[in-house]
Amino acid sequence: MRIICKKSNLVKGVSIVSKAVPSKTTMPILECILIDATTDVIKLTANDMELGIETTIDGIIDSRGIIALNAKIFSEIVRKLPDNDVVIETESDNQAIITCEKAKFNIAAQSGDDFSYLPAIEREDFITISEFTLKEVVRQTIFSIADNDTNKMMTGELFEIDNDVLRVVSLDGHRISIRKIELKDAYQPRKVIVPGKTLQEISKIIGGEADAEVEISFTKNHIVFEFDRTLVVSRLIEGEYFRIDQMLSSDYETRVHVNKKELLDCIDRATLLIKEGDKKPIIIDIKNESMELKIKSQIGSMDELIFCTKDGKDLMIGFNPKFLIDALRVIEDEEVDLYFMNAKAPCFIKDENQSYIYLILPVNFNAAV
Amino acid sequence: MRIICKKSNLVKGVSIVSKAVPSKTTMPILECILIDATTDVIKLTANDMELGIETTIDGIIDSRGIIALNAKIFSEIVRKLPDNDVVIETESDNQAIITCEKAKFNIAAQSGDDFSYLPAIEREDFITISEFTLKEVVRQTIFSIADNDTNKMMTGELFEIDNDVLRVVSLDGHRISIRKIELKDAYQPRKVIVPGKTLQEISKIIGGEADAEVEISFTKNHIVFEFDRTLVVSRLIEGEYFRIDQMLSSDYETRVHVNKKELLDCIDRATLLIKEGDKKPIIIDIKNESMELKIKSQIGSMDELIFCTKDGKDLMIGFNPKFLIDALRVIEDEEVDLYFMNAKAPCFIKDENQSYIYLILPVNFNAAV
C-alpha cells in the first residue's frame, strides 16, 4: 500500500474515527485504526464492537492495500507532522512508514485481516434532521442518563419517532428529561434505545451547523448515523423502555414563573456550601411573589430571595441542587415555569408546547431546616 | 467589622493572596485569608510560613475589625456573587456574614489573633525591574530546577546581582539554565537563592507589562517583591549556591547554527515514540551541512534531516530530548547556536552576548543505535 494525503485531511479523519477506539481493551487490534485503500477511496475505520465509525478522506492511492495502525500513536504522529503531504507506505503487514517532508517514521502495524469490520447494514428507511438539532437534543437530555451499568436501559436514551415527531428521553431514577422536536417529514412509528456513549461521541464529531443534515436509519439491532463523509454504526440497547407517560401529569397546585438566569445563579452559589458527596438539599420556600432559597451545611448557610410570579398555593420543597442546575443550564428560554403539586411530588420544568419537560423528584428536608 | 467592596476588587485581591495558601496543611489557620480593616485600608493577607502575600483593596470601612476566613470557601463565594457591592460583616470572632444583593452567606470564621503575620521587613536597598522582565527570566529558567527536595538548593534559583547585571541561574544536575539581564542602575553585589515555588507563584500574580515595575529587596533571610498594591515576602534558601562558572567553557570543537523552530518541532515529533519513564535518547548526527536526528524505541523509529551551518568537526551525540525541548521552547531567537566539544561533554545553547546560556549534559547512546 502507498497513499498520499494532506496532513489536515488525515488529522480530521483520524480524529473522527478515534472516537470509536476504546480507551481500555485487552485486544490490541481494537486499539487500531484501519486504513483501507483497497478500492478507489481511502477509508478510515475504528470499531469497539459497540460503536463503529468509518470516514473517507481525500488522497491519492499509489498502490492499493490495507493496514491497521495503533490509533494513539498514529494520531499523535500525524498531528505533529509538518503541514504538508503525508505518505503512508507498507512493505509488509507489520510495518508502516510514514513520511512527511524530511521526517520519516517507522512504526509497527497489524494486518487488516485481523480487524473487525463494521456490520453490513442495509438501510431501508431513514429520518433526516439537522446536525444542529441532533447536537442540541442530545445536550439537553444526556445529563440525566445513569452513569453506571446496574440498569443498562438507564445508560441509554429513548429515541421515539411517531409520525413527524421525534421524542428523546433520558432518566436516571431521580429525574426525567424529555425533548420533543418536529421532523420535516412523517415516518413509521419506531422506538429504540441508543447507548449514551454513542450519543456523546456523535455530538463531538458532528459540526452542529443548522444546514448540514444527518440521516438516521435503523436495523433490528443497530442505529446508523450518516453525515458528511462519515458513517457511525452503534448497537442498540435491547429491551422495552420505561413507561414514562404515566409519570407525567399536567395537574399542579403551584406554578412559578421566574427568570432562569437568576434562579440558576442562585442555586449555583448555594452549592458552594456543599462538599462532594454531601447530600444537603436546597430548600425553596415559595410565598407570595417570591421564592426564598436556603441551604445549610457544615460549612455555613446561605439564603437568597428571588422575585417571581406565582399561581396557586404557597409551598416549601427541597431538591438536590445539582438536578435543578443540570436542567436549568440547558434550557434556552429566559423565563421558565416550574409546576409543583406538593412537597412530595415531582416538580416539572416545562414550556408551553412541552418541547422540553424536566421532571425532578424532591427530597425530604425535615432534617435540614 | 463591616466593610463594603466591589466584587471585582475582592475577586482580584483574593486571587492574588490565595497563591500563598498551602494546598495541604494540618493547621486550619494557614488555610485562611486574613481580612484586616483595623486601619484606614482593607488589607488581605495569606501566609504559609515560607511565602506570604499581602495586598490592599479599595473599599469602605464602616466599622473596623479583623477576621480570618477559609480561603477556598471565601474565594469561591466571592467569585460566584453577583457583580455588585459585597458587604462583609462579623458579629463575633467565629462567624462572618457575606451579603451581595439579595444573597446572604453565613460562614464560619477564625479570630485574626491566631493568624501568623508576615515578618516585618525593613527595606533598605531595592532593585527595580519591569514585571515583564521578571516574568520572562523566571519562565526561561524555572524548568530546570529540581522538583524534589533531596537537594534543597536545586529547588531554588540563584539571583546574583553584580553592579548593573542580574544573573538568574537554575540547575538540576543534568543541565544549567542562565539568564543575564541589564539593570537600569548599579547595585551592591549580592547572591541569594530564591525558592522555585515563590518564583512560580509570583509569575502568576504579576501582570507582565513592560512599563509596570517590581521592587525587589532583601534581608538576611527574606526576599521581598513589591508591585502594584501587593507585597510578596519569601524566605530564602540558606547555603552557598553551586559554583557554576567553572562548569562554563567557551571552547568548542563543533558549532551548529540552525533554525530553532525546525529543530524544536523535529525533536518534539521524535518524543512521540517515547513512553513516559522510558529513557531513550535522541541521537544527533552532525555531518557536513546537516543534522540527522534519530530515535528508536519499542514503538518504532524516526529519522529526520535538518539543514544547518556547521563550523568544526563532525559529531554524533545523544541527549534526553526533553532537556533540548525545554531550552529551545523558551528561547525567542529564530536561529540558535549549539556548541559541542565531544560526545561526552556538555552542549551549550547560547547567544552571542550570553544573555542566555543553556548547558545540557549528553547521554550515552551506544545501546540505542
Side-chain angles (χ1 to χ4, degrees):
Chain A
M1 187 186 83
R2 186 172 194 276
I3 59 170
I4 305 157
C5 309
K6 284 211 175 308
K7 176 203 165 170
S8 53
N9 291 341
L10 259 180
V11 167
K12 193 179 161 205
V14 167
S15 138
I16 290 173
V17 299
S18 288
K19 303 286 186 294
V21 176
S23 53
K24 276 180 197 169
T25 172
T26 50
M27 294 169 65
I29 189 72
L30 293 187
E31 292 176 334
C32 286
I33 291 175
L34 184 76
I35 305 176
D36 182 348
T38 50
T39 61
D40 287 340
V41 290
I42 302 171
K43 213 160 64 180
L44 303 180
T45 312
N47 184 5
D48 74 359
M49 311 305 277
E50 287 282 321
L51 173 67
I53 306 179
E54 188 181 283
T55 194
T56 57
I57 57 172
D58 287 327
I60 298 161
I61 302 174
D62 255 6
S63 99
R64 293 187 175 187
I66 188 164
I67 195 88
L69 299 178
N70 178 286
K72 188 160 171 288
I73 295 163
F74 182 47
S75 85
E76 281 179 353
I77 289 177
V78 165
R79 212 163 286 147
K80 292 224 171 164
L81 287 174
D83 204 357
N84 211 329
D85 283 341
V86 179
V87 181
I88 303 172
E89 285 171 284
T90 55
E91 280 162 359
S92 67
D93 265 359
N94 52 31
Q95 202 69 20
I97 299 158
I98 304 169
T99 323
C100 182
E101 290 183 2
K102 284 165 289 165
K104 185 172 157 192
F105 281 89
N106 213 310
I107 58 170
Q110 290 190 66
S111 163
D113 302 338
D114 301 336
F115 199 81
S116 29
Y117 288 82
L118 297 197
I121 305 285
E122 269 186 50
R123 297 199 313 152
E124 289 165 15
D125 52 343
F126 57 83
I127 67 165
T128 308
I129 64 173
S130 76
E131 292 191 357
F132 174 79
T133 306
L134 179 59
K135 210 165 167 150
E136 281 295 284
V137 295
V138 171
R139 183 178 69 88
Q140 290 165 343
T141 51
I142 197 80
F143 58 85
S144 65
I145 60 170
D147 52 5
N148 63 54
D149 272 359
T150 48
N151 188 327
K152 185 81 182 163
M153 207 107 60
M154 286 191 187
T155 65
E157 297 205 340
L158 176 72
F159 272 55
E160 184 178 11
I161 297 151
D162 187 8
N163 216 342
D164 63 346
V165 172
L166 168 67
R167 191 165 75 148
V168 176
V169 180
S170 71
L171 63 82
D172 68 0
H174 304 285
R175 48 186 171 160
I176 307 177
S177 303
I178 306 170
R179 275 285 280 130
K180 218 164 59 184
I181 56 161
E182 271 180 42
L183 302 170
K184 268 178 270 174
D185 297 300
Y187 301 94
Q188 292 290 323
R190 193 185 273 278
K191 273 186 179 185
V192 296
I193 310 169
V194 189
K197 186 177 179 295
T198 296
L199 297 171
Q200 277 156 342
E201 299 303 343
I202 267 244
S203 286
K204 290 181 203 156
I205 302 174
I206 56 176
E209 285 84 33
D211 56 355
E213 295 207 316
V214 183
E215 291 175 1
I216 306 178
S217 52
F218 307 91
T219 69
K220 191 165 168 297
N221 297 314
H222 290 91
I223 183 167
V224 183
F225 299 86
E226 197 167 352
F227 50 92
D228 206 4
R229 301 169 70 176
T230 303
L231 194 74
V232 177
V233 181
S234 164
R235 258 185 208 285
L236 293 170
I237 295 173
E238 283 174 47
E240 203 184 335
Y241 201 69
F242 310 93
R243 295 191 192 171
I244 56 150
D245 289 310
Q246 61 197 39
M247 304 181 216
L248 308 178
S249 121
S250 51
D251 282 358
Y252 64 90
E253 293 283 342
T254 310
R255 186 178 72 169
V256 169
H257 184 77
V258 65
N259 180 288
K260 193 206 78 168
K261 188 172 182 307
E262 239 177 90
L263 180 59
L264 177 57
D265 286 352
C266 170
I267 303 172
D268 196 30
R269 274 194 284 279
T271 55
L272 292 177
L273 297 180
I274 313 172
K275 283 189 199 151
E276 196 108 10
D278 199 350
K279 290 205 176 156
K280 290 289 173 200
I282 185 157
I283 295 155
I284 305 182
D285 192 358
I286 304 163
K287 235 184 282 178
N288 310 320
E289 293 299 286
S290 73
M291 308 168 79
E292 190 185 356
L293 284 86
K294 292 184 277 193
I295 202 156
K296 196 171 181 174
S297 77
Q298 286 177 320
I299 300 173
S301 66
M302 189 208 83
D303 59 272
E304 182 162 352
L305 211 67
I306 298 178
F307 295 114
C308 62
T309 322
K310 190 197 71 173
D311 283 349
K313 294 185 184 167
D314 286 353
L315 175 72
M316 180 130 96
I317 188 168
F319 290 101
N320 177 334
K322 183 183 178 308
F323 293 167
L324 290 172
I325 290 175
D326 282 347
L328 291 170
R329 218 170 246 167
V330 297
I331 295 176
E332 301 292 345
D333 296 345
E334 260 181 53
E335 309 274 323
V336 289
D337 288 306
L338 285 71
Y339 299 81
F340 306 91
M341 197 59 158
N342 59 53
K344 305 218 159 155
C347 155
F348 290 88
I349 309 177
K350 57 185 178 186
D351 62 348
E352 230 169 296
N353 311 326
Q354 309 212 357
S355 77
Y356 62 81
I357 304 177
Y358 296 103
L359 175 160
I360 301 170
L361 289 181
V363 291
N364 197 337
F365 59 88
N366 290 335
V369 208
Chain B
M1 185 187 82
R2 187 172 194 276
I3 58 169
I4 305 158
C5 311
K6 285 210 174 310
K7 176 204 166 169
S8 52
N9 290 342
L10 260 180
V11 168
K12 193 179 161 204
V14 167
S15 137
I16 289 173
V17 298
S18 287
K19 303 286 187 295
V21 177
S23 52
K24 276 181 196 167
T25 171
T26 49
M27 295 169 66
I29 190 72
L30 292 188
E31 292 177 334
C32 287
I33 291 175
L34 184 76
I35 305 176
D36 182 348
T38 50
T39 62
D40 288 340
V41 290
I42 302 171
K43 214 160 64 179
L44 304 179
T45 311
N47 184 5
D48 75 358
M49 312 305 278
E50 287 282 321
L51 172 67
I53 306 179
E54 188 182 281
T55 194
T56 57
I57 57 172
D58 287 327
I60 298 162
I61 303 173
D62 256 6
S63 99
R64 292 188 175 186
I66 188 165
I67 194 88
L69 299 177
N70 178 286
K72 191 160 170 287
I73 296 162
F74 182 49
S75 86
E76 280 179 354
I77 289 177
V78 164
R79 214 164 285 147
K80 291 226 171 162
L81 287 174
D83 205 356
N84 210 328
D85 282 342
V86 180
V87 181
I88 303 172
E89 285 171 284
T90 55
E91 280 161 1
S92 68
D93 265 359
N94 51 30
Q95 202 70 20
I97 300 158
I98 304 169
T99 323
C100 182
E101 289 181 5
K102 285 165 288 166
K104 185 172 157 192
F105 280 90
N106 213 311
I107 59 169
Q110 290 191 63
S111 162
D113 302 338
D114 301 337
F115 199 83
S116 30
Y117 289 81
L118 296 197
I121 303 285
E122 269 186 50
R123 298 200 312 152
E124 289 165 15
D125 52 344
F126 57 83
I127 67 165
T128 308
I129 64 172
S130 77
E131 291 190 358
F132 174 79
T133 306
L134 180 58
K135 211 165 168 151
E136 281 295 282
V137 293
V138 171
R139 183 178 70 89
Q140 291 166 340
T141 51
I142 197 79
F143 59 85
S144 65
I145 61 170
D147 52 6
N148 63 53
D149 272 0
T150 48
N151 188 326
K152 184 81 182 164
M153 207 106 62
M154 285 191 187
T155 66
E157 296 204 340
L158 176 72
F159 271 56
E160 185 179 8
I161 298 151
D162 187 9
N163 215 343
D164 63 347
V165 173
L166 167 67
R167 190 164 77 149
V168 176
V169 180
S170 71
L171 63 83
D172 68 0
H174 304 285
R175 48 188 171 160
I176 307 176
S177 302
I178 305 170
R179 273 286 279 129
K180 218 164 61 183
I181 56 162
E182 270 181 42
L183 302 170
K184 268 179 270 173
D185 298 300
Y187 301 95
Q188 290 291 320
R190 193 183 273 276
K191 272 186 181 187
V192 296
I193 310 168
V194 189
K197 184 175 179 298
T198 296
L199 297 171
Q200 277 157 341
E201 299 303 344
I202 269 245
S203 287
K204 291 181 203 156
I205 301 174
I206 55 177
E209 285 84 34
D211 56 356
E213 294 206 319
V214 183
E215 290 175 1
I216 306 178
S217 52
F218 307 91
T219 69
K220 191 164 169 296
N221 297 314
H222 290 91
I223 183 167
V224 182
F225 299 86
E226 196 167 354
F227 50 93
D228 206 1
R229 301 169 69 175
T230 302
L231 194 74
V232 177
V233 181
S234 164
R235 258 185 208 283
L236 294 171
I237 295 173
E238 282 174 47
E240 202 184 335
Y241 201 70
F242 309 93
R243 297 194 190 169
I244 57 150
D245 289 309
Q246 61 198 39
M247 305 179 217
L248 308 177
S249 121
S250 51
D251 280 0
Y252 64 90
E253 293 283 342
T254 311
R255 186 178 73 171
V256 169
H257 184 78
V258 66
N259 180 288
K260 192 207 78 168
K261 186 169 183 313
E262 241 180 88
L263 179 59
L264 177 57
D265 287 352
C266 170
I267 303 172
D268 196 29
R269 275 194 283 280
T271 56
L272 292 177
L273 299 178
I274 314 173
K275 284 190 199 147
E276 196 108 11
D278 198 352
K279 291 206 174 156
K280 290 288 174 201
I282 186 159
I283 295 155
I284 304 181
D285 193 358
I286 304 162
K287 235 186 281 177
N288 310 321
E289 293 300 287
S290 74
M291 306 168 79
E292 190 184 357
L293 284 85
K294 292 184 279 193
I295 203 156
K296 197 171 182 173
S297 78
Q298 286 176 319
I299 301 173
S301 66
M302 191 207 81
D303 59 271
E304 183 163 351
L305 211 67
I306 298 178
F307 294 114
C308 62
T309 322
K310 190 197 71 172
D311 283 348
K313 294 184 185 166
D314 287 353
L315 175 71
M316 179 130 94
I317 188 166
F319 290 101
N320 178 334
K322 183 182 178 306
F323 294 167
L324 290 173
I325 290 176
D326 282 346
L328 291 171
R329 218 170 243 165
V330 297
I331 295 174
E332 302 292 346
D333 296 345
E334 262 182 51
E335 310 271 323
V336 288
D337 287 305
L338 284 72
Y339 298 81
F340 305 91
M341 198 57 159
N342 59 55
K344 307 220 159 154
C347 156
F348 291 88
I349 308 177
K350 58 186 178 185
D351 62 347
E352 229 169 298
N353 311 327
Q354 310 212 354
S355 77
Y356 63 80
I357 304 175
Y358 297 103
L359 174 159
I360 302 170
L361 289 181
V363 292
N364 198 336
F365 60 90
N366 289 334
V369 208

